[in-house]
Every structure is written in structure tokens, then in C-alpha cells.
Amino acid sequence: LSGMKRVLLAVSLLIFLAGCTSRPAHDPLRPPPPDLPYRTWEIGLLAPNYMEVWVESVDVLDRRGIGYYRVHGGLASIQNPPDNRGDPRGWPARPGGGAARPMTGIDLPEIVFVRWQSLAEPQTYRVRIDIPGWVREEMIKPQAAYCAWRDAHETQYRDLITVGLAPGGIAKAWLIGPCLEPIEIGRFVGSIHPDGPDEGRTNGRYALPLAPEAQQYIDGHGIPFDSW
């Protein structure tokens, strides 16, 4: 990073720690809206079958060097087929968007930070996902797409970053468009959060119990840590 970007990153991280404060629309310090070919991009969250995840916080540092704290969170998208009919090993060839939320007013991302509770273990992790420049270029590149489900040809953008979160602190990110092939951004290894769930505010208590189908699978098959 350049010297200026290092300063912006340090300032933004301080904003993350202090929490965000909103500014009125007429405030001259309010950043201008991003110059994008669409209204907003999105972040989606998913987890392998049965490996339930509660996301405490998604934070974004955008390409302007502006930090946004707690822009997403909650349950990651997951499937828990009954009678152990699901398979949590590995990632799907074509991941879906997951539990998505628009990043309205946020410019294209440079870094995405995620803090989450892996309820299957249980354990709390945090990870930094660096978004390369080629990803941002791809996000604003119009693509010819064919949507088979409605037999339509149209122009689309890959404007959704999906983050898969798995036990062991593993995160994987893809760039997705509605009717476009997903592009893998990378695999990232997080670290255990030393303060535990909710940064120590819940005395070690996790957000939710596992669903019965998830508990049944883990009791019978364990957690396939090496598959992600």
C-alpha cells in the first residue's frame, strides 16, 4: 500500500473500533456517492451443509479508503437436509449468492473483514479478505449473459461478492452475476478471535444452538475440516 493508503487504512480501522456515526445528507464531509454503472453492489454469506454460521460483523474498506462497520451479519445461507442426505464437504461448483445485502453508498471494496461464530465447533473467527484490483475491474465490466430460466439475452455485471465461511476459520470468496459464471476470488484462512463470541460480551455463549439436523450430522460424521 502507498503511504496515503496506509494512513487511510489506519484511520478507517479506528472508525471500525469506535463504530460508525451517520452524517446528514447536507454535511459537506459526507463522501459523494460511488460512480458505478449500477445502484449498488452486494455481499452474500453462505456456509456448507450443516456447518451453521452466525456472522457477527462484516466491515468494508472501500477503494476510496473509507471504512464501514457492521454492514452485514446474521445467519449465513445454509441447507440442512434431513436424514444426513446433505454433503458439507468442499464448495459447490456454482455457489449461489447466499444471504445477500446491498452495500448502498459504499464504493467497490478493497478489503472485507468478517467476524463469525462457527456454531458447528463452536468457535469464533475473524478474517481479512483482500480484494484485488482485477476484481474491482471485473465488477464494472458489462457482460453478455443468457438467462436460461427466462430465455433472455441481456447485459449484466458481476456485482455480488459471496463469502463462504467454514469450520477451522476458512473463508472463500467468489464474484457472481445473476446469469454469469462465478469467478473465484480466493481462499483465506482466518484466526481465532481471542475474546470469543460477541467480543466477550456474552461470557462464551454462542448466538444460537445448532439445528437438530445439523447436530445429527455432526454427531454421526464429525466435521470435515480438510475439505474446504
Side-chain angles (χ1 to χ4, degrees):
L1 292 176
S2 67
M4 178 58 71
K5 282 197 171 182
R6 288 182 185 276
V7 171
L8 290 170
L9 176 58
V11 171
S12 296
L13 290 175
L14 288 175
I15 293 172
F16 288 166
L17 294 175
C20 283
T21 57
S22 60
R23 295 182 182 276
H26 63 275
D27 193 317
L29 297 179
R30 189 181 185 90
D35 182 17
L36 301 175
Y38 38 78
R39 187 180 66 84
T40 184
W41 61 282
E42 298 184 58
I43 290 180
L45 304 169
L46 59 81
N49 290 358
Y50 308 115
M51 305 294 129
E52 294 185 326
V53 163
W54 176 264
V55 178
E56 294 184 351
S57 177
V58 176
D59 310 325
V60 174
L61 180 72
D62 75 11
R63 62 180 174 179
R64 301 172 295 187
I66 301 173
Y68 298 84
Y69 185 55
R70 291 183 179 270
V71 295
H72 199 356
L75 279 172
S77 178
I78 190 171
Q79 296 184 32
N80 288 328
D83 303 320
N84 295 340
R85 292 199 299 265
D87 187 356
R89 294 172 297 179
W91 300 103
R94 291 180 58 87
R101 183 171 296 176
M103 301 291 107
T104 305
I106 302 177
D107 211 333
L108 298 181
E110 185 162 315
I111 305 173
V112 176
F113 301 90
V114 185
R115 189 177 72 248
W116 80 98
Q117 299 176 17
S118 174
L119 302 176
E121 301 174 74
Q123 187 60 268
T124 305
Y125 297 100
R126 57 189 177 187
V127 69
R128 167 179 167 153
I129 299 172
D130 291 298
I131 307 298
W134 68 261
V135 173
R136 291 187 291 278
E137 292 174 7
E138 189 70 31
M139 292 178 76
I140 56 175
K141 185 187 301 181
Q143 306 281 353
Y146 172 66
C147 297
W149 61 277
R150 63 173 182 265
D151 191 25
H153 293 270
E154 56 189 58
T155 299
Q156 293 186 350
Y157 295 89
R158 290 185 174 93
D159 55 2
L160 169 61
I161 292 178
T162 293
V163 180
L165 300 166
I170 302 303
K172 198 163 191 178
W174 300 267
L175 186 59
I176 294 177
C179 301
L180 297 167
E181 287 294 316
I183 299 175
E184 182 178 320
I185 297 172
R187 179 181 184 271
F188 306 86
V189 181
S191 59
I192 293 174
H193 195 307
D195 295 332
D198 201 24
E199 298 186 293
R201 289 187 287 264
T202 59
N203 298 316
R205 187 177 68 255
Y206 283 78
L208 296 168
L210 278 176
E213 296 85 358
Q215 190 67 64
Q216 180 186 24
Y217 182 91
I218 292 169
D219 289 344
H221 299 277
I223 298 175
F225 284 102
D226 294 333
S227 69
W228 300 297

